[in-house]
Coordinates of all heavy atoms in Angstrom, one line a residue:
M221 N 171.1 -107.1 134.2 CA 171.9 -107.4 133.1 C 171.5 -106.5 131.9 O 170.4 -106.2 131.7 CB 171.8 -108.8 132.7 CG 173.1 -109.4 132.4 SD 173.2 -111.2 132.2 CE 171.7 -112.0 132.6
T222 N 172.5 -106.1 131.1 CA 172.2 -105.2 130.0 C 171.7 -106.0 128.8 O 171.8 -107.2 128.8 CB 173.5 -104.5 129.6 OG1 174.4 -105.4 129.0 CG2 174.1 -103.7 130.7
N223 N 171.3 -105.3 127.8 CA 170.8 -106.0 126.6 C 171.8 -106.7 125.8 O 171.5 -107.6 125.0 CB 170.1 -104.9 125.7 CG 168.8 -104.4 126.3 OD1 168.2 -105.0 127.2 ND2 168.4 -103.2 125.9
C224 N 173.1 -106.4 126.0 CA 174.1 -107.1 125.2 C 174.5 -108.4 125.8 O 175.3 -109.2 125.2 CB 175.3 -106.2 125.0 SG 176.2 -105.7 126.4
L225 N 174.0 -108.8 127.0 CA 174.3 -110.0 127.7 C 173.0 -110.9 127.8 O 172.0 -110.4 128.1 CB 174.8 -109.8 129.1 CG 176.2 -109.2 129.3 CD1 176.4 -109.0 130.8 CD2 177.2 -110.1 128.7
R226 N 173.2 -112.2 127.6 CA 172.1 -113.1 127.8 C 172.7 -114.4 128.4 O 173.8 -114.8 128.1 CB 171.4 -113.5 126.5 CG 170.8 -112.3 125.7 CD 170.1 -112.7 124.4 NE 170.9 -113.4 123.5 CZ 171.8 -113.0 122.7 NH1 172.2 -111.7 122.8 NH2 172.5 -113.7 121.8
I227 N 171.9 -115.0 129.3 CA 172.3 -116.3 129.8 C 171.7 -117.4 128.9 O 170.5 -117.3 128.6 CB 171.8 -116.5 131.2 CG1 172.2 -115.4 132.2 CG2 172.1 -117.9 131.8 CD1 173.7 -115.3 132.4
A228 N 172.5 -118.4 128.5 CA 172.1 -119.5 127.7 C 172.7 -120.8 128.3 O 173.9 -121.0 128.0 CB 172.5 -119.3 126.2
G229 N 171.9 -121.5 129.1 CA 172.5 -122.7 129.7 C 173.6 -122.3 130.7 O 173.5 -121.5 131.6
A230 N 174.8 -122.9 130.4 CA 176.0 -122.7 131.3 C 176.9 -121.6 130.7 O 178.0 -121.5 131.1 CB 176.7 -124.0 131.4
S231 N 176.4 -120.8 129.8 CA 177.2 -119.8 129.1 C 176.5 -118.4 129.2 O 175.3 -118.3 129.4 CB 177.4 -120.1 127.7 OG 178.1 -121.3 127.5
I232 N 177.3 -117.4 129.0 CA 176.8 -116.0 128.8 C 177.0 -115.7 127.3 O 178.1 -116.0 126.8 CB 177.6 -115.0 129.6 CG1 177.4 -115.2 131.1 CG2 177.2 -113.6 129.2 CD1 178.3 -114.3 131.9
L233 N 176.0 -115.2 126.6 CA 176.1 -114.8 125.3 C 176.3 -113.2 125.3 O 175.6 -112.5 125.9 CB 174.9 -115.1 124.4 CG 174.7 -116.6 124.3 CD1 173.4 -116.9 123.4 CD2 175.9 -117.3 123.6
L234 N 177.4 -112.8 124.7 CA 177.8 -111.4 124.6 C 177.7 -110.9 123.2 O 178.4 -111.4 122.3 CB 179.2 -111.2 125.2 CG 179.8 -109.8 125.1 CD1 179.0 -108.8 125.9 CD2 181.2 -109.8 125.5
D235 N 176.9 -109.9 123.0 CA 176.8 -109.3 121.6 C 177.8 -108.1 121.6 O 177.8 -107.2 122.5 CB 175.4 -108.7 121.4 CG 174.4 -109.9 121.3 OD1 174.7 -110.9 120.8 OD2 173.2 -109.7 121.8
I236 N 178.6 -108.1 120.6 CA 179.6 -107.0 120.5 C 179.6 -106.4 119.1 O 179.1 -107.0 118.1 CB 181.1 -107.5 120.8 CG1 181.6 -108.5 119.8 CG2 181.1 -108.1 122.2 CD1 183.0 -108.3 119.5
K237 N 180.2 -105.2 119.0 CA 180.5 -104.6 117.7 C 182.0 -104.5 117.7 O 182.6 -103.7 118.5 CB 179.8 -103.3 117.5 CG 180.1 -102.6 116.2 CD 179.4 -101.4 116.0 CE 179.7 -100.8 114.6 NZ 179.0 -99.6 114.3
A238 N 182.7 -105.2 116.8 CA 184.1 -105.2 116.7 C 184.6 -104.1 115.7 O 183.9 -103.8 114.7 CB 184.6 -106.5 116.1
V239 N 185.6 -103.4 116.1 CA 186.2 -102.3 115.3 C 187.7 -102.7 115.1 O 188.6 -102.4 115.9 CB 186.1 -101.0 116.0 CG1 186.7 -99.9 115.1 CG2 184.7 -100.6 116.4
P240 N 187.9 -103.5 114.0 CA 189.3 -104.0 113.8 C 190.2 -102.9 113.2 O 189.7 -101.8 112.8 CB 189.1 -105.1 112.7 CG 187.8 -104.7 112.0 CD 187.0 -104.0 113.0
G241 N 191.5 -103.1 113.3 CA 192.5 -102.1 112.7 C 192.8 -101.0 113.7 O 193.3 -100.0 113.3
S242 N 192.4 -101.1 114.9 CA 192.7 -100.0 115.9 C 194.1 -100.1 116.4 O 194.8 -101.1 116.2 CB 191.8 -100.2 117.1 OG 190.4 -100.0 116.7
S243 N 194.6 -99.0 117.0 CA 196.0 -99.0 117.4 C 196.2 -99.9 118.6 O 197.3 -100.4 118.8 CB 196.4 -97.6 117.8 OG 195.6 -97.0 118.8
K244 N 195.2 -100.1 119.5 CA 195.3 -101.1 120.6 C 193.9 -101.6 120.9 O 192.9 -101.0 120.6 CB 195.9 -100.4 121.8 CG 195.0 -99.4 122.5 CD 195.7 -99.0 123.8 CE 194.7 -98.2 124.7 NZ 195.3 -97.9 126.0
S245 N 193.9 -102.8 121.4 CA 192.6 -103.5 121.8 C 192.1 -102.9 123.1 O 192.8 -102.7 124.0 CB 192.8 -105.0 121.9 OG 193.1 -105.5 120.7
Q246 N 190.8 -102.5 123.1 CA 190.2 -101.9 124.2 C 188.7 -101.8 124.1 O 188.1 -101.9 123.1 CB 190.7 -100.4 124.5 CG 190.4 -99.5 123.3 CD 191.0 -98.1 123.5 OE1 191.8 -97.9 124.4 NE2 190.8 -97.2 122.6
I247 N 188.0 -101.8 125.3 CA 186.6 -101.6 125.4 C 186.3 -100.1 125.0 O 187.0 -99.2 125.5 CB 186.1 -101.9 126.8 CG1 186.5 -103.3 127.3 CG2 184.5 -101.7 126.8 CD1 185.9 -104.4 126.5
A248 N 185.3 -99.9 124.1 CA 185.0 -98.6 123.6 C 183.6 -98.2 123.9 O 183.0 -97.4 123.1 CB 185.4 -98.5 122.2
G249 N 183.0 -98.7 124.9 CA 181.6 -98.3 125.3 C 180.5 -99.2 124.7 O 180.8 -100.3 124.1
L250 N 179.3 -98.7 124.8 CA 178.1 -99.4 124.3 C 177.6 -98.7 123.0 O 177.7 -97.5 123.0 CB 177.0 -99.5 125.3 CG 177.3 -100.4 126.5 CD1 176.2 -100.2 127.6 CD2 177.3 -101.9 126.1
S251 N 177.2 -99.5 122.1 CA 176.6 -99.0 120.9 C 175.5 -99.9 120.4 O 175.8 -101.1 120.1 CB 177.7 -98.9 119.8 OG 177.2 -98.5 118.6
E252 N 174.3 -99.4 120.3 CA 173.2 -100.2 119.7 C 173.0 -101.5 120.4 O 172.9 -102.6 119.8 CB 173.3 -100.3 118.2 CG 173.4 -99.0 117.5 CD 173.8 -99.2 116.0 OE1 174.0 -100.3 115.6 OE2 174.1 -98.2 115.4
N253 N 173.0 -101.5 121.7 CA 172.9 -102.8 122.6 C 174.0 -103.8 122.3 O 173.8 -105.0 122.4 CB 171.5 -103.4 122.3 CG 170.4 -102.6 122.9 OD1 170.5 -102.0 124.0 ND2 169.2 -102.5 122.2
R254 N 175.1 -103.3 122.0 CA 176.3 -104.2 121.8 C 177.5 -103.5 122.5 O 177.6 -102.3 122.5 CB 176.6 -104.3 120.3 CG 175.6 -105.2 119.6 CD 176.0 -105.4 118.1 NE 175.0 -106.3 117.5 CZ 175.1 -107.6 117.5 NH1 176.1 -108.2 118.0 NH2 174.2 -108.3 116.9
L255 N 178.4 -104.3 123.1 CA 179.6 -103.8 123.6 C 180.6 -103.6 122.5 O 180.9 -104.5 121.7 CB 180.2 -104.8 124.6 CG 181.4 -104.4 125.4 CD1 181.1 -103.2 126.3 CD2 182.0 -105.5 126.2
R256 N 181.0 -102.3 122.4 CA 181.9 -102.0 121.3 C 183.4 -102.2 121.7 O 183.8 -101.7 122.8 CB 181.7 -100.5 120.9 CG 182.4 -100.0 119.7 CD 181.8 -98.6 119.3 NE 182.4 -98.2 118.1 CZ 183.5 -97.3 118.1 NH1 183.9 -96.8 119.3 NH2 184.0 -96.9 117.0
I257 N 184.1 -103.0 120.9 CA 185.5 -103.4 121.3 C 186.4 -103.1 120.1 O 186.2 -103.6 119.0 CB 185.6 -104.9 121.6 CG1 184.6 -105.2 122.8 CG2 187.0 -105.2 122.0 CD1 184.6 -106.6 123.2
K258 N 187.4 -102.2 120.4 CA 188.4 -101.9 119.3 C 189.4 -103.1 119.3 O 189.9 -103.5 120.4 CB 189.1 -100.6 119.6 CG 188.2 -99.4 119.5 CD 188.9 -98.1 119.7 CE 188.0 -96.9 119.5 NZ 188.7 -95.6 119.7
I259 N 189.8 -103.5 118.2 CA 190.7 -104.7 118.0 C 192.0 -104.2 117.3 O 191.9 -103.7 116.2 CB 190.0 -105.8 117.2 CG1 188.7 -106.2 117.8 CG2 190.9 -107.0 117.1 CD1 188.7 -106.7 119.2
A260 N 193.1 -104.6 117.9 CA 194.4 -104.2 117.3 C 194.9 -105.3 116.4 O 195.9 -105.9 116.6 CB 195.5 -104.0 118.4
A261 N 194.1 -105.6 115.4 CA 194.4 -106.6 114.4 C 193.6 -106.3 113.1 O 192.5 -105.7 113.2 CB 194.2 -108.0 114.9
A262 N 194.2 -106.7 112.0 CA 193.4 -106.5 110.7 C 192.4 -107.5 110.6 O 192.5 -108.6 111.0 CB 194.4 -106.5 109.6
P263 N 191.3 -107.1 109.9 CA 190.2 -108.1 109.7 C 190.4 -109.0 108.5 O 189.7 -109.1 107.5 CB 189.0 -107.2 109.4 CG 189.6 -106.0 108.7 CD 190.9 -105.8 109.4
E264 N 191.5 -109.8 108.6 CA 191.9 -110.7 107.5 C 192.4 -112.0 108.1 O 193.1 -112.0 109.1 CB 192.9 -110.1 106.6 CG 194.2 -109.7 107.3 CD 195.1 -108.8 106.5 OE1 194.7 -108.0 105.6 OE2 196.3 -109.0 106.7
D265 N 192.1 -113.1 107.5 CA 192.5 -114.4 107.9 C 192.2 -114.8 109.3 O 193.0 -115.5 110.0 CB 194.0 -114.6 107.6 CG 194.4 -114.4 106.2 OD1 193.6 -114.8 105.3 OD2 195.5 -113.9 105.9
G266 N 191.1 -114.2 109.9 CA 190.8 -114.5 111.2 C 191.6 -113.9 112.3 O 191.5 -114.2 113.5
K267 N 192.5 -113.0 111.9 CA 193.4 -112.3 112.9 C 192.6 -111.5 113.9 O 192.9 -111.5 115.1 CB 194.4 -111.4 112.2 CG 195.4 -112.2 111.4 CD 196.4 -111.3 110.6 CE 197.3 -112.1 109.7 NZ 198.1 -111.2 108.9
A268 N 191.6 -110.7 113.5 CA 190.9 -109.9 114.4 C 190.1 -110.7 115.3 O 190.0 -110.4 116.5 CB 189.9 -108.9 113.6
N269 N 189.5 -111.8 114.9 CA 188.7 -112.7 115.8 C 189.7 -113.3 116.8 O 189.3 -113.4 118.0 CB 188.0 -113.8 115.0 CG 186.9 -113.3 114.2 OD1 186.3 -112.3 114.5 ND2 186.5 -114.0 113.1
A270 N 190.8 -113.7 116.4 CA 191.8 -114.3 117.4 C 192.2 -113.3 118.4 O 192.3 -113.6 119.6 CB 193.0 -114.9 116.6
E271 N 192.5 -112.1 118.0 CA 192.9 -111.0 118.9 C 191.7 -110.7 119.8 O 191.9 -110.4 121.0 CB 193.3 -109.8 118.1 CG 193.6 -108.5 119.0 CD 194.6 -108.7 120.1 OE1 195.5 -109.6 120.0 OE2 194.6 -107.9 121.0
L272 N 190.5 -110.7 119.3 CA 189.3 -110.4 120.1 C 189.2 -111.4 121.3 O 189.0 -111.1 122.4 CB 188.0 -110.4 119.3 CG 186.7 -110.4 120.0 CD1 186.6 -109.0 120.8 CD2 185.6 -110.5 119.0
R273 N 189.4 -112.7 120.9 CA 189.3 -113.7 122.0 C 190.4 -113.6 123.0 O 190.2 -113.7 124.2 CB 189.3 -115.1 121.3 CG 188.0 -115.4 120.6 CD 188.0 -116.8 119.9 NE 188.2 -117.9 120.8 CZ 189.2 -118.8 120.6 NH1 189.9 -118.8 119.6 NH2 189.3 -119.8 121.5
S274 N 191.6 -113.3 122.5 CA 192.8 -113.1 123.4 C 192.6 -111.9 124.3 O 192.8 -112.0 125.5 CB 194.1 -112.9 122.6 OG 194.4 -114.1 121.9
F275 N 192.1 -110.8 123.8 CA 191.9 -109.6 124.6 C 190.8 -109.9 125.6 O 191.0 -109.5 126.8 CB 191.4 -108.5 123.6 CG 190.9 -107.3 124.4 CD1 191.8 -106.5 125.1 CD2 189.6 -107.0 124.4 CE1 191.4 -105.3 125.8 CE2 189.1 -105.9 125.1 CZ 190.0 -105.0 125.8
L276 N 189.7 -110.5 125.3 CA 188.7 -110.8 126.3 C 189.2 -111.8 127.3 O 188.8 -111.6 128.5 CB 187.4 -111.3 125.6 CG 186.6 -110.3 124.9 CD1 185.4 -110.9 124.1 CD2 186.0 -109.3 125.8
A277 N 189.9 -112.8 126.9 CA 190.5 -113.8 127.9 C 191.3 -113.1 128.9 O 191.2 -113.3 130.1 CB 191.2 -114.9 127.1
K278 N 192.2 -112.2 128.4 CA 193.1 -111.4 129.3 C 192.3 -110.5 130.2 O 192.5 -110.4 131.4 CB 194.1 -110.7 128.5 CG 195.2 -110.0 129.4 CD 196.3 -109.4 128.6 CE 195.9 -108.7 127.3 NZ 197.0 -108.0 126.7
T279 N 191.3 -109.7 129.6 CA 190.5 -108.8 130.3 C 189.7 -109.4 131.4 O 189.5 -108.9 132.5 CB 189.6 -108.0 129.4 OG1 190.5 -107.3 128.4 CG2 188.8 -106.9 130.1
L280 N 189.1 -110.6 131.1 CA 188.2 -111.3 132.0 C 188.9 -112.3 132.9 O 188.2 -113.0 133.7 CB 187.0 -111.9 131.2 CG 186.2 -110.9 130.5 CD1 185.2 -111.6 129.5 CD2 185.4 -110.0 131.4
D281 N 190.2 -112.5 132.6 CA 191.0 -113.5 133.4 C 190.3 -114.9 133.3 O 190.1 -115.5 134.3 CB 191.1 -113.1 134.8 CG 192.2 -113.9 135.6 OD1 193.1 -114.3 134.9 OD2 192.0 -114.0 136.8
C282 N 190.1 -115.3 132.0 CA 189.6 -116.7 131.8 C 190.4 -117.3 130.6 O 190.9 -116.5 129.8 CB 188.1 -116.7 131.6 SG 187.6 -116.1 129.9
P283 N 190.4 -118.6 130.5 CA 191.1 -119.2 129.4 C 190.5 -118.9 128.0 O 189.3 -118.8 127.9 CB 191.0 -120.7 129.7 CG 190.6 -120.8 131.1 CD 189.9 -119.6 131.4
K284 N 191.4 -118.6 127.1 CA 190.9 -118.3 125.7 C 190.1 -119.4 125.1 O 189.1 -119.1 124.4 CB 192.2 -118.1 124.8 CG 191.8 -117.6 123.4 CD 193.1 -117.4 122.7 CE 192.9 -117.1 121.2 NZ 194.1 -116.9 120.5
K285 N 190.4 -120.6 125.5 CA 189.6 -121.8 125.0 C 188.1 -121.8 125.5 O 187.3 -122.4 124.8 CB 190.3 -123.1 125.4 CG 190.2 -123.4 126.9 CD 190.8 -124.8 127.1 CE 190.8 -125.1 128.6 NZ 189.6 -125.1 129.3
D286 N 187.9 -121.0 126.5 CA 186.5 -120.9 127.0 C 185.6 -119.9 126.4 O 184.5 -119.7 126.7 CB 186.5 -120.7 128.6 CG 187.0 -121.8 129.4 OD1 187.2 -122.9 128.8 OD2 187.3 -121.7 130.6
I287 N 186.2 -119.1 125.4 CA 185.5 -118.1 124.7 C 185.3 -118.5 123.3 O 186.3 -118.8 122.5 CB 186.3 -116.8 124.7 CG1 186.5 -116.3 126.2 CG2 185.6 -115.7 123.9 CD1 187.4 -115.1 126.3
T288 N 184.1 -118.6 122.9 CA 183.7 -119.2 121.5 C 182.9 -118.1 120.7 O 182.0 -117.5 121.3 CB 182.8 -120.4 121.7 OG1 183.4 -121.3 122.6 CG2 182.6 -121.1 120.4
L289 N 183.3 -118.0 119.5 CA 182.6 -117.1 118.6 C 181.4 -117.9 118.0 O 181.6 -118.9 117.4 CB 183.5 -116.6 117.5 CG 182.9 -115.7 116.4 CD1 182.6 -114.3 117.1 CD2 184.0 -115.4 115.3
T290 N 180.2 -117.5 118.4 CA 179.0 -118.2 118.0 C 178.3 -117.7 116.7 O 177.6 -118.3 116.1 CB 178.0 -118.4 119.1 OG1 177.6 -117.1 119.5 CG2 178.6 -119.1 120.3
A291 N 178.6 -116.4 116.5 CA 177.9 -115.7 115.3 C 178.8 -114.5 114.9 O 179.4 -113.9 115.7 CB 176.5 -115.3 115.6
G292 N 178.8 -114.3 113.6 CA 179.5 -113.1 113.0 C 180.9 -113.3 112.7 O 181.7 -112.3 112.8
E293 N 181.3 -114.4 112.3 CA 182.8 -114.7 112.0 C 183.3 -113.7 111.0 O 184.5 -113.2 111.2 CB 182.9 -116.1 111.4 CG 184.4 -116.5 111.2 CD 184.6 -117.9 110.7 OE1 183.7 -118.7 110.9 OE2 185.6 -118.1 110.1
K294 N 182.6 -113.3 110.0 CA 183.0 -112.4 109.0 C 182.3 -111.0 109.0 O 182.3 -110.3 108.1 CB 182.9 -113.0 107.6 CG 183.8 -114.2 107.4 CD 183.8 -114.7 106.0 CE 184.6 -115.9 105.8 NZ 186.0 -115.7 105.7
S295 N 181.7 -110.7 110.2 CA 180.9 -109.5 110.4 C 181.5 -108.7 111.6 O 182.2 -109.3 112.4 CB 179.5 -109.9 110.7 OG 178.8 -108.7 111.1
R296 N 181.2 -107.4 111.6 CA 181.6 -106.6 112.8 C 180.7 -106.9 113.9 O 181.0 -106.6 115.1 CB 181.7 -105.1 112.4 CG 182.8 -104.8 111.5 CD 182.8 -103.3 111.1 NE 183.8 -103.1 110.1 CZ 184.8 -102.3 110.3 NH1 185.0 -101.7 111.4 NH2 185.7 -102.1 109.3
L297 N 179.5 -107.3 113.6 CA 178.5 -107.6 114.7 C 178.7 -109.1 115.0 O 178.4 -110.0 114.2 CB 177.1 -107.3 114.2 CG 176.8 -105.9 113.8 CD1 175.4 -105.7 113.3 CD2 177.2 -104.9 114.8
K298 N 179.1 -109.4 116.3 CA 179.4 -110.7 116.7 C 178.7 -111.1 117.9 O 178.3 -110.3 118.7 CB 181.0 -110.8 116.9 CG 181.8 -110.5 115.7 CD 183.3 -110.6 116.0 CE 184.1 -110.2 114.8 NZ 183.9 -111.0 113.6
T299 N 178.6 -112.4 118.2 CA 178.1 -112.9 119.4 C 179.1 -114.0 119.9 O 179.6 -114.8 119.1 CB 176.7 -113.6 119.3 OG1 175.8 -112.6 118.8 CG2 176.2 -114.1 120.6
L300 N 179.5 -113.8 121.2 CA 180.5 -114.7 121.8 C 179.8 -115.4 123.0 O 179.0 -114.9 123.7 CB 181.7 -114.0 122.3 CG 182.5 -113.3 121.1 CD1 182.6 -111.8 121.4 CD2 183.9 -113.9 121.1
A301 N 180.2 -116.7 123.2 CA 179.8 -117.4 124.3 C 181.0 -117.5 125.3 O 182.1 -117.8 125.0 CB 179.4 -118.9 124.0
L302 N 180.7 -117.1 126.6 CA 181.7 -117.0 127.6 C 181.2 -117.8 128.8 O 180.0 -118.0 129.0 CB 181.9 -115.6 128.0 CG 182.4 -114.7 126.9 CD1 181.3 -113.7 126.5 CD2 183.6 -113.9 127.4
P303 N 182.1 -118.3 129.7 CA 181.6 -119.0 130.9 C 180.9 -118.1 131.9 O 181.2 -116.9 132.0 CB 183.0 -119.6 131.5 CG 184.0 -118.7 130.9 CD 183.5 -118.2 129.6
L304 N 180.0 -118.7 132.6 CA 179.2 -118.0 133.6 C 180.1 -117.4 134.7 O 179.8 -116.4 135.3 CB 178.2 -118.9 134.3 CG 176.9 -119.1 133.5 CD1 176.0 -120.1 134.2 CD2 176.1 -117.8 133.3
T305 N 181.3 -117.9 134.9 CA 182.2 -117.5 135.9 C 182.7 -116.0 135.7 O 183.1 -115.4 136.6 CB 183.5 -118.4 136.0 OG1 184.1 -118.5 134.7 CG2 183.1 -119.8 136.5
V306 N 182.6 -115.5 134.5 CA 183.0 -114.1 134.2 C 181.9 -113.1 134.2 O 182.1 -111.9 134.0 CB 183.7 -114.0 132.8 CG1 184.9 -115.0 132.7 CG2 182.8 -114.3 131.7
R307 N 180.7 -113.6 134.6 CA 179.5 -112.7 134.6 C 179.7 -111.4 135.4 O 179.5 -110.3 134.9 CB 178.3 -113.4 135.1 CG 177.1 -112.6 135.2 CD 175.9 -113.4 135.6 NE 174.7 -112.6 135.7 CZ 173.5 -113.1 136.0 NH1 173.3 -114.3 136.2 NH2 172.5 -112.3 136.0
E308 N 180.2 -111.5 136.6 CA 180.4 -110.3 137.5 C 181.4 -109.3 136.9 O 181.1 -108.1 136.8 CB 180.8 -110.8 138.9 CG 180.6 -109.7 139.9 CD 180.9 -110.3 141.3 OE1 180.3 -111.3 141.7 OE2 181.7 -109.7 142.0
K309 N 182.5 -109.8 136.4 CA 183.5 -109.0 135.8 C 183.0 -108.3 134.6 O 183.2 -107.1 134.3 CB 184.8 -109.8 135.4 CG 185.6 -110.2 136.6 CD 186.8 -111.0 136.1 CE 187.6 -111.5 137.3 NZ 188.8 -112.3 136.9
L310 N 182.3 -109.0 133.8 CA 181.7 -108.5 132.5 C 180.7 -107.4 132.8 O 180.7 -106.4 132.1 CB 181.1 -109.7 131.7 CG 180.8 -109.4 130.2 CD1 182.0 -108.9 129.5 CD2 180.4 -110.7 129.6
E311 N 179.8 -107.7 133.8 CA 178.8 -106.7 134.1 C 179.5 -105.4 134.6 O 179.0 -104.3 134.3 CB 177.8 -107.2 135.2 CG 176.9 -108.3 134.6 CD 176.0 -108.9 135.6 OE1 176.3 -108.9 136.8 OE2 174.9 -109.5 135.1
K312 N 180.6 -105.5 135.4 CA 181.3 -104.3 135.8 C 181.9 -103.5 134.7 O 181.8 -102.3 134.6 CB 182.4 -104.7 136.8 CG 181.9 -105.0 138.2 CD 183.1 -105.4 139.1 CE 182.5 -105.8 140.5 NZ 183.6 -106.2 141.4
I313 N 182.5 -104.2 133.7 CA 183.1 -103.6 132.5 C 182.0 -102.9 131.8 O 182.2 -101.7 131.3 CB 183.8 -104.7 131.6 CG1 185.0 -105.1 132.3 CG2 184.0 -104.1 130.2 CD1 185.7 -106.4 131.7
I314 N 180.8 -103.5 131.6 CA 179.7 -102.9 130.8 C 179.2 -101.7 131.6 O 178.9 -100.6 131.0 CB 178.7 -103.9 130.5 CG1 179.2 -104.9 129.5 CG2 177.4 -103.3 130.0 CD1 178.3 -106.2 129.3
A315 N 179.1 -101.8 132.9 CA 178.5 -100.7 133.7 C 179.5 -99.5 133.6 O 179.0 -98.3 133.7 CB 178.4 -101.1 135.1
N316 N 180.8 -99.7 133.5 CA 181.7 -98.6 133.4 C 182.0 -98.1 132.0 O 182.8 -97.2 131.8 CB 183.1 -99.0 134.0 CG 182.9 -99.3 135.5 OD1 182.2 -98.6 136.2 ND2 183.7 -100.2 136.0
S317 N 181.3 -98.7 131.0 CA 181.5 -98.3 129.6 C 180.6 -97.1 129.2 O 179.6 -96.8 129.8 CB 181.2 -99.4 128.7 OG 182.1 -100.5 128.9

């Protein structure tokens, strides 16, 4: 497992660096032990956080309700909790980044 992933009980904690205001949401590689994700939403009124959760839910094929923002609500450096069921998909995405 990479440094941006940690197991915590029944969840995976994922450290990311969000880049809001991008033309489309996409994985943009690794940066400083964080998965860099471009977000196609402005960083205002929680829009970027909502788009981030939607993007990850679609990318990892898991319900949006299972993705929780645990740290960094108003920061570009965020930590999300995801279900253990997405571990394999997430590791493949990170390995290809």
Side-chain angles (χ1 to χ4, degrees):
M221 222 170 354
T222 68
N223 292 337
C224 64
L225 290 179
R226 301 181 304 285
I227 303 294
S231 297
I232 295 174
L233 296 179
L234 173 65
D235 296 324
I236 68 144
K237 180 174 183 177
V239 183
S242 296
S243 59
K244 71 176 193 172
S245 295
Q246 63 186 3
I247 306 293
L250 290 169
S251 174
E252 301 168 6
N253 291 324
R254 291 181 177 271
L255 185 63
R256 192 167 178 261
I257 302 177
K258 293 182 177 181
I259 308 297
E264 56 190 36
D265 301 327
K267 291 177 185 172
N269 289 336
E271 172 60 20
L272 172 63
R273 289 179 58 232
S274 293
F275 170 73
L276 285 174
K278 184 169 46 172
T279 301
L280 298 170
D281 193 29
C282 78
K284 184 178 171 181
K285 67 177 179 57
D286 291 350
I287 300 173
T288 308
L289 183 63
T290 61
E293 183 178 340
K294 295 187 182 281
S295 171
R296 289 178 187 245
L297 302 180
K298 301 179 183 298
T299 301
L300 295 122
L302 300 109
L304 280 174
T305 55
V306 303
R307 179 178 178 175
E308 198 172 306
K309 287 181 186 177
L310 196 51
E311 287 176 340
K312 283 180 184 177
I313 288 169
I314 291 168
N316 293 326
S317 294

